[in-house]
Amino acid sequence: MNALFEKLDRGLTGIRLYGIAPPKLATDPERLGEIAAQHVARLRQLAPDGLVVYDIQDEPGRSGQARPFPFLPTVDPERYAYDALAELEIPKIVYRCVGAQPREAFSRWLDTVRAAGGRRLSVLVGAPSAQSRGSGLPLAEAHALARAAPSLMVGGIAIAERHVTKLDEHQRMLAKQDRGCRFFITQSVYDAASTKSLLSDYALELQARGRAPAPVVLTFSPCGSARTLELMKWLGISFPRWLENELRHSADTLERSIHLCERVFADVQDYAREKNLPIGINVESVSIRKSEIEASVELYRRLTGQLASRP
Amino acid sequence: MNALFEKLDRGLTGIRLYGIAPPKLATDPERLGEIAAQHVARLRQLAPDGLVVYDIQDEPGRSGQARPFPFLPTVDPERYAYDALAELEIPKIVYRCVGAQPREAFSRWLDTVRAAGGRRLSVLVGAPSAQSRGSGLPLAEAHALARAAPSLMVGGIAIAERHVTKLDEHQRMLAKQDRGCRFFITQSVYDAASTKSLLSDYALELQARGRAPAPVVLTFSPCGSARTLELMKWLGISFPRWLENELRHSADTLERSIHLCERVFADVQDYAREKNLPIGINVESVSIRKSEIEASVELYRRLTGQLASRP
């Protein structure tokens, strides 16, 4: 049995994922082939339990601030995962922004999942706000429809930054579990305290309701420059002031960020162990700069080492 | 030479203080004598480098929320420190809320300091806001007047919680140093991240200006009940959500708080060491319950142990 499905089916700690965004839609076919070949090579080398493929949408409503990088549409993540990376044997967890499409598109996709045979994994993401959804599918309806495809294992996102202000993210997680979600993936963790706070309320709520936890996969990304830092902040990732200072004033921002990710993960890992919460890691590079991608590979190695040595 | 003055004169790390509030003004003389005898006995046993005596003022303007405990005026901290605890030989650091009194009262006090002979230590505290000061003395003017008493070594308060929103507490610290402050004392630290953020900006500002750091004494207090937690929150002490959960849901809140204080201190201590900032500790009990006072003694022992073993 595949390691990822076993860990998910049994709610185990120790899931190891690597995440990528699909190439830009405007990429010419030859270059697309090269990128896919690089992804295959990198992932064979890393051999994670699974590959995360993001669904990058333009979000003009987000944070009211100008996007630091221009938005460029990407190849459809589903097609990239299953066509361009077809030769990659590991399970793929494909993100799907359900709020960006009407119900019919989601239903058609479910048909293809059923037709594909074998188990599939997807993280369903709602619209950032009811306003931004427009005629898109509400997340709860997508969850209800997805139950008709038993071969599909659905995960959800868990956002510690949202918990800081609203204090209800743990209840959203439980509601998603009620609607069939079997695991969660966070956005990049640089703020150990807010992540521990979410895990704390989640653990208390599970205990109060007599429920079992779903694995929470913590995402980590290297940060090699002030520009990447700005992008990550724009994406909603929070940085404690001292940690942002460390990055901004370091002679080697990239190496410093890797070291800080290790420390943040150790802190959250210790806490999750105390609370008997199964966790995992997902490493990605939010930037496509070569140095930051290489750093994500190094970070993946270090965090999986930490995951194995302090289970 | 006394250890405290040596550490302050040389800007060394490792200052060890214990803090108390004076007894209530309404305490009858016999009971007052008993309390002073208990303080003397406890402090002789602990043998800190110095004793902090707080100046507790009613602050109706604070946070707009009802005070969880009624305000009762206390014996004047100066008189308590030097009269009631006269037999206690260690240096005393007496807090003085300068905003609560007119200029004449401050000048008269400076005359008594000069007349007393020997070195004295005081932490001067401004009014919580310009409005609440009324006809009281502005802090900067108090600093200017205090320079006429060279035997008085002045310290200031440093509030990490204020830094989170205003991001200028490090500049206030530097301004206080410019006006003669030689050390800082924080309020109770339960939020490692905000304390590290203040130290981070302080270290960067010192570096930018080519200045030497003043010792920053970190205050720690045990928390034995939900009621003490509410009082500490009302006092402006911030608790990360997960840590507040730990306290509220622990079978032994008091012991849990001691353990958490040790972890918070270890985190801040490691960071201060990296930044070459001299730090110290000050332990107090914000409550007068016997169990919490005993816990403060235990906490003092553990933190001074930690201070010595990981200098």
Side-chain angles (χ1 to χ4, degrees), chain B residues 14 214 229 247 285:
Chain B
L229 178 64
L247 293 176
S285 170

Side-chain angles (χ1 to χ4, degrees), chain B residues 14-276:
Chain B
I15 292 168
R16 306 167 312 143
L17 306 177
Y18 187 84
I20 59 170
K24 303 301 172 213
L25 196 55
T27 314
D28 72 54
E30 194 183 337
R31 177 73 191 125
L32 204 70
E34 284 170 18
I35 293 172
Q38 282 167 2
H39 278 155
V40 169
R42 193 191 318 157
L43 284 151
R44 286 211 170 127
Q45 188 190 15
L46 291 178
D49 296 328
L51 168 69
V52 168
V53 183
Y54 290 107
D55 185 5
I56 312 290
Q57 300 286 330
D58 196 8
E59 297 179 31
R62 187 192 276 272
S63 84
Q65 295 189 321
R67 191 184 175 93
F69 287 69
F71 172 73
L72 293 170
T74 73
V75 172
D76 178 76
E78 187 87 7
R79 296 193 58 174
Y80 190 68
Y82 292 106
D83 297 346
L85 303 182
E87 57 177 308
L88 196 67
E89 307 77 8
I90 55 170
K92 285 129 187 177
I93 301 179
V94 181
Y95 272 54
R96 191 167 191 96
C97 294
V98 303
Q101 289 187 312
R103 171 189 305 265
E104 297 67 38
F106 189 77
S107 295
R108 273 198 307 276
W109 170 68
L110 280 179
D111 290 339
T112 65
V113 168
R114 271 188 293 258
R119 297 181 78 178
R120 289 242 170 146
L121 291 150
S122 186
V123 167
L124 302 182
V125 183
S129 67
Q131 295 90 304
S132 67
R133 195 177 67 229
S135 60
L137 187 63
L139 183 59
E141 289 184 34
H143 287 146
L145 292 169
R147 302 195 92 152
S151 63
L152 179 68
M153 185 181 268
V154 172
I157 57 170
I159 311 288
E161 282 84 349
R162 198 155 61 182
H163 192 60
V164 172
T165 48
K166 299 194 178 168
L167 287 178
D168 67 352
E169 190 70 8
H170 59 304
Q171 282 153 353
R172 285 171 186 246
M173 290 167 74
L174 265 295
K176 286 178 186 175
Q177 277 180 254
D178 289 341
R179 300 198 307 255
C181 284
R182 302 288 300 278
F183 63 96
F184 296 97
I185 301 184
T186 70
Q187 59 185 14
S188 293
V189 178
Y190 270 99
D191 184 347
S194 69
T195 303
K196 285 158 73 180
S197 292
L198 174 56
L199 293 180
S200 170
D201 282 318
Y202 180 53
L204 287 169
E205 192 75 16
L206 289 167
Q207 194 177 30
R209 299 198 201 176
R211 298 282 301 274
V216 178
V217 178
L218 307 161
T219 298
F220 293 90
S221 328
C223 174
S225 69
R227 212 165 162 221
T228 301
L229 178 64
E230 288 313 317
L231 173 62
M232 292 173 96
K233 287 175 79 172
W234 181 85
L235 288 166
I237 298 160
S238 90
F239 294 79
R241 172 84 180 175
W242 69 268
L243 196 151
E244 185 172 336
N245 283 345
E246 293 294 303
L247 293 176
R248 288 191 190 278
H249 296 272
S250 172
D252 185 346
T253 303
L254 197 51
E255 173 53 34
R256 189 87 192 122
S257 80
I258 291 179
H259 178 63
L260 289 165
C261 285
E262 289 179 281
R263 277 165 59 168
V264 167
F265 178 54
D267 189 358
V268 178
Q269 188 185 15
D270 286 346
Y271 187 76
R273 193 188 301 109
E274 269 179 41
K275 299 292 150 192
N276 287 313

Side-chain angles (χ1 to χ4, degrees), chain A residues 68-69 223-233 239 244 247-249 253-254 289 292:
Chain A
F69 287 70
C223 174
S225 70
R227 209 162 165 224
T228 301
L229 177 64
E230 289 312 319
L231 173 61
M232 293 174 95
K233 288 175 77 172
F239 293 79
E244 185 172 335
L247 293 175
R248 287 191 191 279
H249 297 272
T253 302
L254 199 50
R289 282 174 56 195
E292 290 184 290

Side-chain angles (χ1 to χ4, degrees), chain A residues 238-258:
Chain A
S238 92
F239 293 79
R241 171 84 180 173
W242 69 268
L243 195 151
E244 185 172 335
N245 284 345
E246 293 294 303
L247 293 175
R248 287 191 191 279
H249 297 272
S250 173
D252 185 344
T253 302
L254 199 50
E255 174 53 35
R256 188 86 192 120
S257 79
I258 291 179

